[in-house]
Amino acid sequence: MSVGMERLGDPFGFAGDGDGGRRARRLVRERAAKVVVDGTLLDDVELMTSEAIANALLHGSGLIEVVVATDGRRLRVEVGDDGPAQADPHGRPRLDHGRGLTVIDALATEWGLDQSPRRTRLWFVVDAQQPPADA
C-alpha cells in the first residue's frame, strides 16, 4: 500500500466461485463513496474494480483480496491473488492483458501490476477530489 494511505475498512477476501466478485464491487463502491464525490467517478471505480477482479479470476489462483485505501485526496484499490493459475516452468511472469487493463489504463490516474512468485497485485489510483465532469 502506498505511503500515507489509510485503509478504508478491512481487506475483503473471497474465493473465485460464488458471488464474491459482486459483493467486492459493492463494498469498494461503498468505501469509495466516503471520499469520492462525483457519481461518474464512482461508476469508473466500480468498473475498474470489476475488470481487476475479472483479471484475477482469469489469470490468478487462490483467494482474491481487495483493499481500498485513501490519503483523503486520492483513492487506491488493490486486487490481489495467489499468482499464476498455472505455474510457468520457466518462471516467467504471467502476462495480464485484454480489455480490463485497457479500461483501467484509460480511467485511472495511475495503475500497476506487481508480481512475485507467490502473489500478484493489480492496483489503481484515482483523484478522489476531481470535480464532477459537468462542472
Side-chain angles (χ1 to χ4, degrees), residues 46-116:
E46 189 173 2
L47 175 60
M48 289 187 284
T49 301
S50 178
E51 296 295 349
I53 289 170
N55 206 54
L57 290 170
L58 182 63
H59 297 289
S61 62
L63 190 70
I64 296 170
E65 184 180 74
V66 180
V67 176
V68 184
T70 186
D71 61 4
R73 188 178 60 80
R74 297 172 308 144
L75 181 82
R76 179 180 172 109
V77 177
E78 300 175 1
V79 177
D81 62 69
D82 290 335
Q86 290 85 30
D88 186 314
H90 305 291
R92 291 181 298 234
R94 77 186 198 207
L95 294 175
D96 292 26
H97 55 79
R99 187 182 136 235
L101 295 188
T102 304
V103 167
I104 291 170
D105 187 52
L107 298 176
T109 304
E110 57 183 292
W111 68 277
L113 185 65
D114 302 330
Q115 295 179 306
S116 72

Side-chain angles (χ1 to χ4, degrees), residues 25 28-49 75 126 130:
R25 286 191 306 275
V28 168
R29 186 179 182 102
E30 287 170 4
R31 291 178 182 179
K34 295 176 182 178
V35 291
V36 174
V37 294
D38 179 23
T40 301
L41 183 57
L42 272 178
D43 292 344
D44 289 349
V45 167
E46 189 173 2
L47 175 60
M48 289 187 284
T49 301
L75 181 82
V126 296
Q130 86 177 28

